[in-house]
Structure formats: C-alpha cells, structure tokens
C-alpha cells in the first residue's frame, strides 16, 4: 500500500549505514529535530515539545553555535548559517542539517 506509514523499525533499517542531509529554513530545522527524535525514540514529540531550537539531548549531538560558512552574504547572524549533526551509532547512520537563510529570499 503506497499510503502505509513506515514503521520505526523500517525507517531505522532504511537509514542504516547512511547519511541523511537536510538543507532549509527554520521550519525545516524543526522537522529535522522531530525526525531525529522519532528515529531515536520511536515516537513523535508530544505537544509539550515546543523548541524550534531543539535539545541536544535527543535532537542533535553537535554543533550548536557552529556554522557551515563564515560568509555573511545574506545575514551577519551566525544563526542563519547553523550546522547540526546527530549520530545514530547503533545503526551506523548520521543526519546533518544546514540552515540556509536564502531559502525564503
């Protein structure tokens, strides 16, 4: 069935040994954090999850405050050039997120 949702176990099997990279704005960043949470714990964040910035307990391992470029072409704020990653060592997978402010310009 094409509309059947992928289970947590199936998703972990699909991403095993791979690297998933996402680029986008703050909405995409929130989806990235939610995906990492789901991949880690097997559930979607509840309504109490209200952090567009994520939590490095579940959402990312590194690099709050790190940037993927020093070029302030669109903005001089480093928040508009964020880079995060999360390792899923038990399945040999990793996800990365690169904030690209120019997505909505």
């Amino acid at each position: 069935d094409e509309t059947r949702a992928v289970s947590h176990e199936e998703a972990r099997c699909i991403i095993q040994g791979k690297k998933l990279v996402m680029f986008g704005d703050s909405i995409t960043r929130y989806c990235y954090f939610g995906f990492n949470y789901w991949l880690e714990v097997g559930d979607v964040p509840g309504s109490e999850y209200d952090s567009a910035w994520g939590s490095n307990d579940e959402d990312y391992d590194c690099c709050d405050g790190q940037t993927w470029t020093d070029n302030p072409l669109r903005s001089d704020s480093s928040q508009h050039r964020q880079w995060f990653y999360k390792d899923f060592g038990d399945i040999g997978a990793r996800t990365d997120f690169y904030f690209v402010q120019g997505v909505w310009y």
Side-chain angles (χ1 to χ4, degrees):
D1 180 8
E2 295 174 11
T3 60
R4 184 183 66 80
V6 174
S7 73
H8 179 243
E9 294 78 22
E10 290 170 326
R12 289 177 61 82
C13 182
I14 291 167
I15 200 170
Q16 184 173 359
K18 295 182 176 76
K19 180 177 180 180
L20 172 78
V21 178
M22 297 175 77
F23 298 86
D25 59 12
S26 56
I27 295 169
T28 309
R29 180 185 58 214
Y30 189 77
C31 293
Y32 169 77
F33 291 149
F35 176 76
N36 285 347
Y37 182 90
W38 178 73
L39 199 58
E40 183 74 26
V41 303
D43 200 3
V44 295
S47 60
E48 72 282 353
Y49 186 83
D50 188 27
S51 176
W53 296 103
S55 162
N56 74 340
D57 293 335
E58 289 114 7
D59 303 327
Y60 59 89
D61 294 328
C62 183
C63 290
D64 194 13
Q66 298 293 315
T67 61
W68 57 270
T69 182
D70 291 329
N71 185 345
L73 180 64
R74 298 271 190 194
S75 170
D76 59 1
S77 172
S78 63
Q79 289 182 339
H80 295 149
R81 298 183 305 275
Q82 293 173 313
W83 164 63
F84 299 95
Y85 75 80
K86 178 148 180 81
D87 281 315
F88 297 90
D90 61 325
I91 58 172
R94 173 173 158 159
T95 62
D96 284 66
F97 174 77
Y98 296 89
F99 188 96
V100 182
Q101 184 195 21
V103 166
W104 36 264
Y105 270 80

